[in-house]
Structure formats: C-alpha cells, structure tokens
C-alpha cells in the first residue's frame, strides 16, 4: 500500500510562500501529474515528498506513515531528475545497479534485477556503454531503469522529458505511459507541459503561484476548467477568452454576439470557448458568433488554425485542413451557446458552462 497523503502542506522562505495549503490524497497506484508554469510550486511539492525540502507546516504520509522527519533514503521513494544524474565513469549496467549496492540488496539478485529493468526500457543492448556514448533519450531511459530497479513504493519524476527534442519526447512519453501500466506503482510526475499531463495522468493538479487551482482527471480539467488560469493553461491552443457583457442571455463584445446563454448571469463576464468547438461559417448572416478579419493562418497538417483579433484578444478557430483564406480577409465562425463557458470578470472563477453543468 503506497497511498501518499499531503495534509495542508505549506512551504515558506521568510515572507515568500512557495506552496500554500496543499491538501490532497494520492491513492495507491495512481499516476498524478503536478502541472503549472515555472515557479508555481510543483517541484517544491515533489521535493518535500522526497525529503529534499522540509515542509514548513503540514504532514506528509506515505503508506499511512508520517515521513516528515525521515531522511530521503528512508522514505522508499525513487526520483528521476530532469538532468539524468548519471555517473559518467560507470557503464549503463553499473549505473542501473548502483541503488542496489548502496541499499545493501543481496548481490546474487543484482544481475536479474538490472537486466529486467533494462529490458523494460529497451536498453539491454547498451548495458556496456558509458553515458557519454548514449543519446539524450537513452540516458533518460537509464535514469528510469535506475529508479525501476529500486522497486520503490513511490516514483517521483521531475520534468524527465524537458531536455529531449520533440520526437524523443513523444517516444519517451509513450515509454513512461507503458511502464506506469506495467509497474502499477504510485507515481507523482512534475511538468510544465500540458500535453504530457493530459496524456500521462490519471489525475492532474494544476498549480499557480504556490496554490492548487484545480484537481481532476484530464477530461474534467479540459472540459470544465475551474477558472481562467486553468482555461488558459490547458489545451493546444488554449481556450479562447473574451471579456464582454451578458444581457438577457446574449453575450456581446467587439465583433462577437452569442445568444442562448444562461439567462441567470448578467453583466460583465469572461466568455470562453475552444478553437475546435467553433464552426466556420460562410457569412455573417449565418453566424451566432464571431465575424472579423483574418489576423493569421497556420497550417497544422490535420487542420488549419485561423486567428482573428477581437478587441485586445486573439481568437483561434480550427478549420478543416482544406480551408483556404488570406490574412486581412473577412472570416466568420459560429459559436454555439452549448460550447461556451462563463467566468467571473473579477475573480476569473468559473460561473458555468452551457452543457448542463452549473
């Protein structure tokens, strides 16, 4: 049983608050992703779980045992770092084996454990090589194997893919996803990349300025963002956000008019909708949505992204890959009320969406 509990964790350095009142239970075998921009407190939270940082307030429990006063080596966690942290003088085999030696695991079990871990990350043929002779992706897999061989209660992964190029990032992400399914070990994964979070996580914790903004499955966070920060951070592109006014169920802003919204909401709001949910229209007369000149065009392969400017906001609409237009030409898109989200204009907190969720 490797349930991890964080009970009202704070981390402060003098007057600076790094993490504020982080309160969450991570069930056994869950893959939890801490997601947010640089400086949001996600890595500090992970380091407190590992014992590399001391919590200012609150309790950390692993497997039902309070570990605040335990040394990192006594918490039965394995950490994978962004920088690989391999020993350059050791070959791959010895790098993977090293945790077994320092923990005084019976030597006659080492070879089997090392080779099994290496096989899991497809490194068997590279066991004789030194880290300098490996690619970035291979080095990261050595770091993963070194964590696997420990057979810990909890895996901690601190932005393990951020040093890899785009192609390697995709393949290594698939490797981690497969390993998670195979190993069934509680995993806490830190990233600023929302695509990693959405593809890997059972649940995502979105953080900003040390405060948890929302906790939920990738689907919940994508479909029902708790506030404008989450809405603007999740999705590629991020959710379109436009400031305007609602009166008798109709939202209006420069070049936008959408009727059929929640009639209980009136006054200044922020309206959100996703690029893929809007529908390209032939002309203004056909639209309950946006009409403006094309600001930019991006060919994405599977689609064409059209951006228009509405006041100070840039609005993205995903069109068919065959769609063709030019910058400066008129563009119209229907924005059905059912796809819209409303947020409080002052706090940014969610008011509602139009899909029956209040």
């Amino acid at each position: 049983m490797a349930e991890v509990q964080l009970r009202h964790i704070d981390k402060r350095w003098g007057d600076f608050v790094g993490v504020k009142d982080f309160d969450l239970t991570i069930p056994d075998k869950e893959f939890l992703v801490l997601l947010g921009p640089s400086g949001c407190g996600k890595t500090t939270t992970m380091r407190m779980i590992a014992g590399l940082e001391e919590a200012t307030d609150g309790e950390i429990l692993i497997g039902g045992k309070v570990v605040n006063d335990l040394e990192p080596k006594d918490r039965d966690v394995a950490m994978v770092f962004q920088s690989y942290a391999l020993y350059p003088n050791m070959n791959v085999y010895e790098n993977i084996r090293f945790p077994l030696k320092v923990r005084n695991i019976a030597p006659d079990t080492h070879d089997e454990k090392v080779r099994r871990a290496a096989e899991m990350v497809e490194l068997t043929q590279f066991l004789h090589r030194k880290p300098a002779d490996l690619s970035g992706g291979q080095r990261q897999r050595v770091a993963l194997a070194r964590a696997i061989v420990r057979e810990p209660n909890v895996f901690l992964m601190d932005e393990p893919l951020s040093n890899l190029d785009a192609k390697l990032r995709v393949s290594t992400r698939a490797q981690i996803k497969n390993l998670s399914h195979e190993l069934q070990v509680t995993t806490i994964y830190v990233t600023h990349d929302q695509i990693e979070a959405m593809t890997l996580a059972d649940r995502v914790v979105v953080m900003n300025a040390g405060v948890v903004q929302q906790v939920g499955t990738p689907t919940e966070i994508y479909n029902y963002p708790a506030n404008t920060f989450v809405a603007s951070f999740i999705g590629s592109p991020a959710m379109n956000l436009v400031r305007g006014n609602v009166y008798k169920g109709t939202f209006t802003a420069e070049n936008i008019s959408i009727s059929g919204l929640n009639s209980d909401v009136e006054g200044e709001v922020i309206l959100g909708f996703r690029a893929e949910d809007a529908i390209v229209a032939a002309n203004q007369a056909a639209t309950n949505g946006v009409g403006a000149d094309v600001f930019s065009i991006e060919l994405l392969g599977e689609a064409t992204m059209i951006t228009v400017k509405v006041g100070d906001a840039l609005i993205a609409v995903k069109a068919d890959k065959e769609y063709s237009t030019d910058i400066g030409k008129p563009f119209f898109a229907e924005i059905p009320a059912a796809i819209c989200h409303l947020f409080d204009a002052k706090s940014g907190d969610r008011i509602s969406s139009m899909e029956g969720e209040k």
Side-chain angles (χ1 to χ4, degrees), residues 31-276:
F31 196 117
L32 183 89
V33 173
L34 303 179
L35 173 69
S38 296
C40 73
K42 57 190 187 296
T43 294
T44 299
T45 301
M46 173 173 283
R47 289 174 64 84
M48 287 191 286
I49 296 169
L52 302 175
E53 295 277 1
E54 186 177 343
T56 308
D57 289 307
E59 287 186 325
I60 300 168
L61 291 83
I62 299 177
K65 180 181 180 180
V66 177
V67 299
N68 291 55
D69 296 329
L70 293 183
E71 293 293 320
K73 64 183 178 63
D74 298 323
R75 297 192 182 197
D76 201 12
V77 301
M79 194 159 180
V80 179
F81 296 91
Q82 175 182 342
S83 60
Y84 317 138
L86 303 179
Y87 297 102
N89 59 315
M90 296 181 185
N91 62 20
V92 169
Y93 184 98
E94 289 301 328
N95 264 285
I96 298 173
R97 183 187 177 204
F98 188 76
L100 301 177
K101 293 170 70 176
V102 298
R103 292 177 67 83
N104 297 318
I105 304 299
D108 59 349
T109 67
H110 289 194
D111 189 65
E112 180 186 352
K113 289 176 182 291
V114 169
R115 293 186 183 279
R116 186 172 73 90
E119 186 178 353
M120 283 185 175
V121 295
E122 300 176 10
L123 280 175
T124 304
Q125 60 184 330
F126 301 106
L127 289 174
H128 63 286
R129 292 193 185 181
K130 297 281 182 69
D133 300 323
L134 302 175
S135 69
Q138 289 165 342
R139 291 178 198 176
Q140 192 55 275
R141 282 188 279 151
V142 176
L144 285 169
R146 189 175 56 189
I148 291 166
V149 81
R150 287 254 289 96
E151 299 178 0
N153 273 330
V154 180
F155 281 125
L156 303 175
M157 300 189 184
D158 187 13
E159 304 212 38
L161 308 185
S162 60
N163 287 340
L164 305 182
D165 63 38
K167 185 176 179 182
L168 273 175
R169 199 175 295 131
V170 171
S171 60
T172 311
R173 190 171 72 218
Q175 194 104 40
I176 290 172
K177 182 79 172 179
N178 184 266
L179 278 172
S180 170
H181 176 76
E182 193 170 337
L183 295 170
Q184 294 289 297
V185 174
T186 308
T187 302
I188 302 169
Y189 185 106
V190 161
T191 184
H192 63 273
D193 185 325
Q194 52 97 14
I195 294 176
E196 283 180 31
M198 298 293 282
T199 53
L200 290 173
D202 295 321
R203 281 192 304 163
V204 179
V205 177
V206 184
M207 299 182 69
N208 186 39
V211 177
V212 173
Q213 303 294 309
Q214 187 172 359
V215 181
T217 66
T219 301
E220 288 167 349
I221 285 176
Y222 188 84
N223 289 338
Y224 304 109
N227 53 44
T228 51
F229 175 81
V230 177
S232 65
F233 200 80
I234 298 292
S236 183
M239 182 179 286
N240 295 306
L241 296 171
V242 185
R243 190 175 291 268
N245 287 277
V246 173
Y247 180 67
K248 292 186 177 179
T250 297
F251 173 87
T252 54
E254 183 180 334
N255 297 323
I256 290 186
S257 178
I258 303 168
S259 59
L261 299 174
N262 186 343
S263 59
D264 295 337
V265 178
E266 292 209 344
E268 187 179 12
V269 298
I270 297 171
L271 179 135
F273 66 94
R274 297 215 175 265
E276 64 269 26

